[in-house]
Amino acid sequence: MLYSKNSRETRSISDRTTLLTDYALRTKSENSGENDSSQYSLENSFRIKLDKNTNFYLSNSFLTNNGTNINTGASSTFRDGTLLNENNSYNKNDSRNNSGQSRIYFSKKLNEKGRRVSFSMSGSAGESVNDNLIKSETLFDQEPGKNDIRNQRSYSKTLNNRYDVSADYAEPISDSAKMSISMGYNTSYNRNSRDVNDFNSATGDYSKFNVDLSNMMRQQNNAFVPRVGYELNKKNINLWASANLNVTQMDVNARYNGQDYKLNKNFALPEFNLNAWSNKDGKNISVYVGSNYDIPSAMQLTPYEDRSNPLISYKGNPDLKNTWRFYGNMYYSKYNQLKNTNLYFNFSFNYQDNDVTNNRHFNKETGGQEITYINVSGNKSIYFGSGYTKTYKWKDNKLTIGPRVTFNHRFTNGFVDGDRYTSTAYSVTPGINLTYEIKDKMTIKPSYSLSYNQTDYKNYVLDRSHTTSNVFSLQSINYFGKNQDFTIENNFTYTTNSNIAPGFKKDFYFWNASLGYTFLKKQMTAKVMVYDVLNQNQSVKRVITDTYIEDREDLILKRYVMFTLSYKFNKFGSKKG
């Protein structure tokens, strides 16, 4: 059984610019929060070997979490310098979350080598309850008649249940290959409800039921999943492949704004995966490709309008298609033990057809958004990374040099105010790591990386945007004392960002330090650590997406001191003889 309790303070400042066809929206916001939470978790499992060919496994887990979260926020939106809206809000949320799951697995090897049958069954259940006090004031300077003042209490409850059953049979077809077939069935039930009551000045409590903001949704999914698999195990090569058909029935019943909605969908979606890998003479290579379909969520499919946020509304689209994904990864590495070198390459890609994306419509007079959902095809991304390390050794010294580079490419289709646009994003990040060690005396690890990001647009008000960041870090460990019982550790990071808006820090420092002492034959260690010595651990960055550019500053954690005491068990018993 584990228990944890946490208290955390958050703070953020952001400056976001949304570039539209005829004008630009600029939103400045500040948010702060306090969160207190406690968590209990319990896990148990056991395995029984009924005989040499039969295994039985059972596992259970339970988790409960209680918390209180208080958030305050303020924002203002401008259109080319003209104030459109101002929002001030206070939210206090008391939450309770409980979840549990169990799994049973049975397998039996039959007489033939590699012939096997197995059966598994699992179930999970969860409940989440939130009691939220909401006080907000949204003022629309150009259209005062649309001002939105709220003083309300929202009580929401979410129930999630899922049960899975599957049976599998594997048959060898040679001394190194086997085929398998399986049949799976799963059913899930989800229920979400939200009851909102406005403050009643006549009674002094929250008793005026708000029909427009209250809602309920029930979703039942049933799926049959037949699957066929192939596995090959040779001395220097391994291969695993599978294909399955996901036959799903979705039933949704919802009530929003006092109106009932029903949705019934049936799907038959194929999926496949192929994984091959080889290891020989220090060379490793692996290839993975796969394809699957994603079903849009019930909220994206149901054509209700959710106006729980006074500045953003959402409306589903029942005509959405399923998203098809094709993805893959290839990894290669070569290690030379005699020369102390290692080289690696990593490449991955992802392509999406009928991807579900937001179709945003902006109100020119209020600055508010109306978001619907639409399918787009052709979204894709590519990643490439490579690195090389070389180690030099002499006497008690060791030096390791490790240059590296990564490249990312992302192509995105999107819609703003009904107009289609495309964005092409690139990022290149070269860097280098160095490690110098003097045995039992010190270790120094400096590193540096430069990241350049650029996004090009078509059919958009902006042609190009870019940002650059530099990160330098230095880690050190020093050993001293008669038997190197004392250690001093330092971890220093310096980050700079370009093109940050006025009012945001372009650079920041981060420094952790600790002092440790090892005793009792080096089995017990006492350590004192100071987190964020300079007390300015703030994350400052510029984020470029396909629809906006945002400068953001977040408080991560305040400076604190932590003491730890650890004991290392070398052995639990001894053998005499």
Side-chain angles (χ1 to χ4, degrees):
M1 179 175 177
L2 297 176
Y3 170 75
S4 64
K5 187 173 183 178
N6 297 290
S7 295
R8 186 179 180 185
E9 178 184 347
T10 61
R11 186 173 66 248
S12 66
I13 302 173
S14 65
D15 189 338
R16 174 183 295 189
T17 300
T18 303
L19 299 170
L20 303 173
T21 304
D22 301 322
Y23 59 95
L25 293 177
R26 184 177 183 183
T27 301
K28 298 181 179 181
S29 63
E30 296 185 15
N31 294 278
S32 62
E34 297 178 1
N35 177 267
D36 295 305
S37 64
S38 60
Q39 178 175 292
Y40 295 88
S41 62
L42 177 65
E43 296 183 5
N44 64 75
S45 64
F46 63 88
R47 187 186 304 271
I48 300 176
K49 195 171 184 64
L50 301 177
D51 56 48
K52 67 176 184 178
N53 294 321
T54 309
N55 288 281
F56 176 81
Y57 175 81
L58 173 65
S59 66
N60 299 281
S61 65
F62 175 77
L63 175 69
T64 181
N65 182 288
N66 299 306
T68 299
N69 194 19
I70 300 175
N71 289 295
T72 59
S75 68
S76 54
T77 300
F78 301 82
R79 182 194 70 228
D80 298 330
T82 300
L83 180 63
L84 298 183
N85 66 65
E86 300 173 272
N87 175 269
N88 291 279
S89 64
Y90 169 89
N91 290 277
K92 180 182 179 183
N93 183 49
D94 294 312
S95 62
R96 183 181 76 251
N97 302 281
N98 297 304
S99 63
Q101 60 181 22
S102 297
R103 181 173 184 262
I104 296 174
Y105 177 78
F106 171 86
S107 68
K108 183 176 180 62
K109 293 181 181 178
L110 303 180
N111 294 332
E112 187 71 25
K113 182 181 178 181
R115 181 179 293 171
R116 174 183 54 83
V117 293
S118 64
F119 173 82
S120 68
M121 183 170 60
S122 64
S124 63
E127 179 189 62
S128 176
V129 177
N130 290 272
D131 188 354
N132 195 7
L133 176 63
I134 303 169
K135 296 182 179 182
S136 68
E137 181 183 67
T138 306
L139 305 179
F140 299 99
D141 289 69
Q142 304 304 310
E143 297 187 3
K146 294 183 177 181
N147 289 348
D148 189 305
I149 311 298
R150 301 185 182 185
N151 182 8
Q152 54 195 205
R153 194 162 193 167
S154 170
Y155 181 84
S156 60
K157 187 175 184 179
T158 301
L159 296 174
N160 297 292
N161 297 306
R162 180 184 172 100
Y163 302 96
D164 293 78
V165 179
S166 67
D168 181 271
Y169 174 78
E171 176 71 24
I173 56 178
S174 71
D175 59 348
S176 58
K178 63 181 178 181
M179 295 285 295
S180 65
I181 58 173
S182 69
M183 173 61 75
Y185 170 78
N186 66 74
T187 179
S188 62
Y189 174 79
N190 304 291
R191 186 181 189 277
N192 301 287
S193 63
R194 181 174 64 199
D195 294 328
V196 179
N197 288 277
D198 294 325
F199 183 74
N200 190 334
S201 57
T203 60
D205 58 5
Y206 294 89
S207 57
K208 293 177 64 177
F209 186 68
N210 190 316
V211 176
D212 294 338
L213 298 182
S214 299
N215 57 63
M216 181 278 297
M217 174 179 285
R218 290 193 303 265
Q219 179 181 354
Q220 176 85 42
N221 282 16
N222 299 305
F224 286 94
V225 187
R227 183 186 69 86
V228 60
Y230 173 79
E231 186 175 340
L232 176 68
N233 295 288
K234 291 286 190 179
K235 181 179 179 181
N236 295 318
I237 187 171
N238 299 274
L239 184 144
W240 178 83
S242 71
N244 60 268
L245 183 66
N246 193 330
V247 182
T248 302
Q249 179 187 24
M250 174 193 287
D251 294 315
V252 178
N253 291 278
R255 186 173 181 82
Y256 282 84
N257 304 327
Q259 183 177 351
D260 293 325
Y261 297 88
K262 288 187 177 182
L263 180 70
N264 303 103
K265 295 275 188 177
N266 295 289
F267 310 98
L269 307 175
E271 300 178 358
F272 84 89
N273 294 278
L274 173 66
N275 193 359
W277 62 99
S278 175
N279 185 350
K280 183 180 179 181
D281 300 329
K283 298 178 182 179
N284 294 277
I285 185 170
S286 65
V287 177
Y288 175 78
V289 293
S291 170
N292 71 304
Y293 282 87
D294 288 340
I295 300 174
S297 69
M299 296 183 67
Q300 292 173 327
L301 288 168
T302 308
Y304 71 89
E305 189 170 12
D306 185 354
R307 292 189 174 275
S308 56
N309 186 327
L311 292 173
I312 306 175
S313 67
Y314 298 87
K315 187 175 183 179
N317 178 3
D319 298 322
L320 289 177
K321 299 177 181 179
N322 300 314
T323 300
W324 178 70
R325 301 181 188 277
F326 180 59
Y327 45 86
N329 174 266
M330 184 180 73
Y331 179 81
Y332 171 82
S333 68
K334 180 181 180 181
Y335 175 67
N336 190 317
Q337 187 174 8
L338 295 177
K339 295 182 179 180
N340 288 318
T341 61
N342 185 63
L343 174 69
Y344 75 87
F345 298 95
N346 192 10
F347 171 79
S348 62
F349 69 90
N350 183 26
Y351 176 84
Q352 298 169 137
D353 191 49
N354 286 323
D355 193 17
V356 178
T357 189
N358 292 342
N359 185 8
R360 300 174 184 270
H361 293 269
F362 290 84
N363 188 309
K364 189 174 183 179
E365 300 302 322
T366 67
Q369 297 182 52
E370 295 179 357
I371 296 178
T372 57
Y373 305 99
I374 194 170
N375 288 115
V376 295
S377 294
N379 289 352
K380 52 184 174 284
S381 62
I382 295 174
Y383 168 83
F384 173 79
S386 179
Y388 174 82
T389 60
K390 169 69 175 177
T391 300
Y392 302 90
K393 297 180 180 179
W394 69 98
K395 295 183 180 180
D396 291 335
N397 300 268
K398 184 167 71 172
L399 175 65
T400 301
I401 302 174
R404 66 189 190 279
V405 64
T406 61
F407 171 80
N408 284 279
H409 165 72
R410 185 183 74 252
F411 178 84
T412 305
N413 292 274
F415 282 86
V416 173
D417 286 337
D419 295 326
R420 185 167 186 162
Y421 69 91
T422 63
S423 68
T424 306
Y426 308 89
S427 70
V428 181
T429 307
I432 186 170
N433 296 335
L434 300 175
T435 302
Y436 176 63
E437 299 179 49
I438 301 177
K439 186 178 179 181
D440 297 330
K441 290 186 178 180
M442 72 171 187
T443 300
I444 299 177
K445 297 181 179 181
S447 67
Y448 171 77
S449 65
L450 167 67
S451 180
Y452 177 79
N453 302 274
Q454 177 178 304
T455 303
D456 297 326
Y457 302 90
K458 287 186 177 180
N459 196 29
Y460 201 57
V461 65
L462 186 67
D463 293 327
R464 173 175 295 176
S465 61
H466 64 87
T467 183
T468 305
S469 64
N470 297 267
V471 179
F472 170 78
S473 67
L474 178 63
Q475 301 177 43
S476 68
I477 305 176
N478 295 88
Y479 307 90
F480 61 96
K482 184 178 180 180
N483 298 309
Q484 287 76 43
D485 298 321
F486 290 90
T487 59
I488 296 178
E489 298 184 39
N490 288 278
N491 188 337
F492 177 82
T493 302
Y494 174 65
T495 303
T496 64
N497 296 282
S498 69
N499 299 333
I500 295 293
F504 291 85
K505 296 178 62 176
K506 292 183 178 293
D507 59 353
F508 59 94
Y509 304 87
F510 180 52
W511 178 22
N512 290 340
S514 68
L515 172 65
Y517 174 64
T518 303
F519 53 101
L520 290 182
K521 297 181 180 180
K522 294 193 175 182
Q523 287 185 275
M524 182 166 283
T525 301
K527 182 181 289 188
V528 177
M529 187 185 83
V530 181
Y531 184 90
D532 191 13
V533 176
L534 302 176
N535 200 30
Q536 64 157 0
N537 185 16
Q538 296 175 336
S539 171
V540 182
K541 59 183 178 181
R542 164 162 284 199
V543 178
I544 300 176
T545 73
D546 52 331
T547 56
Y548 63 83
I549 301 172
E550 181 180 77
D551 296 313
R552 187 176 185 89
E553 179 178 307
D554 291 284
L555 171 68
I556 300 177
L557 282 175
K558 284 188 173 182
R559 179 174 56 198
Y560 66 87
V561 178
M562 182 171 67
F563 174 78
T564 62
L565 187 64
S566 59
Y567 184 81
K568 180 173 66 174
F569 293 93
N570 290 328
K571 52 187 176 181
F572 293 91
S574 61
K575 180 178 180 181
K576 295 181 181 180

